[in-house]
Amino acid sequence: CVQFLSPSLLRPIILVLLVVVGAYTFLRKDFGSFHQPKLNGVHSAIAAIAAGLIFGFYDGFFVFFTGSFLIFAFISILGFDFLTASASSKVLNWCTNFAALVAFASAGQVLYALALPMAVCNIAGSLVGTRLAVLKGNSFIRILFLVVVSALIAKLIYDALHP
């Protein structure tokens, strides 16, 4: 799909989704405050498979914003708190990134001079972020989540106005 569709076709949809995610999170003050799993057994497995397919496709196509959408999905659909959702999103995001790396590397479409330093920085950022998340807890992650979503919205608007 990446080779046949232009990401610019879907950017307006992503912008709208980010605005909805940000507004919902901002307005629901208790959103992600408590870990109250909503699904179990077969329903949990079906939700996990569906999320894996949807986010795997999305991440392979766009790469960016996946973590924010994963966190929102883990909280709203599965009932996770921000800390658990953030940790879970890191694992799933790593899996989708690895699958994308294998797919693009097999097609000879990886710029290793950029990819390797980026991977090192990603690992360093993950380590710092993990420590902050554990130390500061759900309220800190919620605020940071809203800041990141707002920054992503601003970037998409800027990109749309300055092609």
Side-chain angles (χ1 to χ4, degrees):
C1 288
V2 172
Q3 296 173 0
F4 300 112
L5 293 174
S6 170
S8 64
L9 297 174
L10 298 177
R11 285 183 203 268
I13 296 169
I14 293 171
L15 177 59
V16 170
L17 287 175
L18 282 170
V19 169
V20 169
V21 164
Y24 186 85
T25 304
F26 181 76
L27 294 172
R28 293 255 338 258
K29 301 297 182 197
D30 64 336
F31 184 69
S33 296
F34 305 101
H35 187 72
Q36 300 169 337
K38 296 177 182 178
L39 303 174
N40 58 26
V42 173
H43 293 98
S44 182
I46 291 170
I49 291 168
L53 290 171
I54 291 166
F55 287 111
F57 174 82
Y58 175 88
D59 196 33
F61 195 80
F62 286 105
V63 179
F64 44 83
F65 314 138
T66 306
S68 298
F69 287 132
L70 282 170
I71 290 170
F72 186 80
F74 279 130
I75 295 170
S76 60
I77 297 169
L78 299 178
F80 289 7
D81 60 25
F82 265 102
L83 184 60
T84 306
S86 181
S88 300
S89 75
K90 299 293 181 228
V91 173
L92 187 55
N93 203 10
W94 182 89
C95 292
T96 61
N97 287 340
F98 184 74
L101 173 65
V102 170
F104 286 113
S106 67
Q109 296 180 341
V110 175
L111 300 173
Y112 290 101
L114 294 175
L116 294 176
M118 202 165 145
V120 169
C121 291
N122 194 338
I123 291 168
S126 293
L127 292 173
V128 170
T130 299
R131 289 177 195 222
L132 272 175
V134 170
L135 288 174
K136 303 283 185 178
N138 278 327
S139 60
F140 173 76
I141 298 171
R142 182 181 188 276
I143 292 168
L144 190 60
F145 178 79
L146 287 169
V147 168
V148 168
V149 168
S150 298
L152 296 174
I153 291 168
K155 182 197 179 324
L156 283 175
I157 291 171
Y158 179 84
D159 289 348
L161 296 176
H162 301 91

